Amino acid sequence: METLWSELKTGLSQGFISTVLSVLAALLILFVGLKLIRWLVSHFKKSRAAKRLDPTVLSFLVSVLNIGAILLLAVLIASVVGVSSASIVAVLGSVSLAIGLALQGSLANFAGGVMILLFKPFVIGDYIELKTGETGTVTDISIFYTTLLTVDNRRLVIPNGAVSNASVTNYTAMPQRRVDLEFSVAYDSDAALVKRLILETAAQDPRIQKDPAPFARMTRMDASALVFTFRGWCETGDYWEVYFDLCERVKAAFDANGVAIPFPQMDVHVNAPLKTDEG
């Protein structure tokens, strides 16, 4: 009996000592691991590669690096404590499945944010239009949402899942943009004069580029008007000012040279009534 009790005490002592050592080792690994993670993240932020990245992309990568390193540290500590690798994988799988089911919409937005940050269909400062109709200047691109500021000073916050799956028109991605305008004149107008007035008016605006040369031709004959099309290139930032100024100046040139802008017209032909024997 005394021998059994002695063996039991020895076994308990060894088990206790082993547990204490495992806990101490886990605490040491946790302390050193957190210090190492902070050093790695700090070193990554200061690296040359990180300085060349967009601030939004850098913030995202730092978050991913930090979370991934902490998860690896947790797995290492669990192994030191004595938890089997199979149990760890099973728990992680169950947790991932539960989180995935609960956050389907958020994960779609997260994936959309990753796509936007990696492929850059637009960046902060671009003026864009979504196929769903939202337009505005991009003021922020986060992991889950894209923020637009409209021309009337409204703030639109759109989920990245919707943005990444929609057709996006980026009006400011290119340094130059073409101004397209149509002018309608009366049928009795001199086509050569109209073309000359449009091109001369465009030539007076230094913002309209000479190369490629501006284009002006009669492109359509509508029911009550001849339609002339103008195309000219300018800097993207000057687009709307050039557009509005050219409309006003061409109208003034037409008025000064007697070029009429028609109204919709309809010719009505009245036939004489048929005569009858009684009439």
Side-chain angles (χ1 to χ4, degrees):
M1 190 67 179
E2 292 181 0
T3 303
L4 180 61
W5 177 248
S6 177
E7 291 178 355
L8 183 60
K9 287 194 298 182
T10 302
L12 290 174
S13 299
Q14 292 176 349
F16 177 75
I17 293 172
S18 176
T19 302
V20 170
L21 291 177
S22 297
V23 171
L24 291 176
L27 291 174
L28 179 62
I29 292 173
L30 176 63
F31 177 78
V32 175
L34 291 176
K35 290 285 187 181
L36 182 61
I37 290 172
R38 291 194 194 97
W39 180 84
L40 286 173
V41 170
S42 177
H43 184 72
F44 175 72
K45 287 181 178 179
K46 297 176 182 178
S47 65
R48 292 183 179 178
K51 291 179 180 179
R52 290 195 294 265
L53 293 174
D54 183 86
T56 308
V57 177
L58 178 61
S59 177
F60 168 72
L61 291 178
V62 167
S63 298
V64 171
L65 177 63
N66 194 40
I67 293 172
I70 290 175
L71 287 176
L72 289 176
L73 180 62
V75 171
L76 178 61
I77 291 173
S79 299
V80 170
V81 172
V83 180
S84 66
S85 300
S87 300
I88 295 172
V89 172
V91 170
L92 289 176
S94 300
V95 171
S96 300
L97 179 61
I99 293 175
L101 292 174
L103 301 175
Q104 291 183 24
S106 297
L107 289 176
N109 293 333
F110 174 81
V114 172
M115 298 294 289
I116 293 170
L117 293 172
L118 289 179
F119 294 102
K120 296 184 181 298
F122 51 83
V123 296
I124 293 175
D126 282 347
Y127 185 83
I128 66 172
E129 178 181 1
L130 303 181
K131 186 178 181 180
T132 49
E134 295 90 348
T135 60
T137 301
V138 181
T139 58
D140 184 49
I141 306 172
S142 66
I143 298 301
F144 295 103
Y145 297 97
T146 294
T147 304
L148 304 181
L149 184 65
T150 65
V151 292
D152 56 349
N153 210 34
R154 289 180 295 123
R155 186 167 176 262
L156 300 179
V157 180
I158 307 171
N160 283 335
V163 177
S164 63
N165 290 322
S167 298
V168 179
T169 301
N170 191 333
Y171 290 103
T172 52
M174 306 303 293
Q176 288 87 31
R177 187 175 172 188
R178 194 178 74 184
V179 179
D180 293 348
L181 284 170
E182 289 188 343
F183 301 98
S184 299
V185 299
Y187 258 91
D188 59 356
S189 301
D190 184 343
L193 173 63
V194 172
K195 175 182 173 181
R196 178 170 62 83
L197 291 175
I198 295 173
L199 289 176
E200 287 180 353
T201 304
Q204 295 170 5
D205 193 330
R207 296 168 298 184
I208 298 177
Q209 298 177 359
K210 303 299 186 291
D211 185 21
F215 166 93
R217 295 291 298 271
M218 186 175 70
T219 54
R220 197 166 69 249
M221 292 185 292
D222 282 350
S224 58
L226 302 176
V227 179
F228 286 76
T229 299
F230 169 81
R231 297 183 184 131
W233 291 85
C234 68
E235 295 295 323
T236 300
D238 295 331
Y239 177 84
W240 286 113
E241 289 298 322
V242 171
Y243 185 99
F244 297 135
D245 288 347
L246 193 60
C247 285
E248 295 173 355
R249 292 170 182 171
V250 169
K251 172 63 168 60
F254 285 174
D255 291 344
N257 289 271
V259 177
I261 298 176
F263 297 97
Q265 302 177 24
M266 180 181 294
D267 293 335
V268 179
H269 301 274
V270 180
N271 294 323
L274 294 175
K275 293 183 178 180
T276 63
D277 294 338
E278 296 179 356

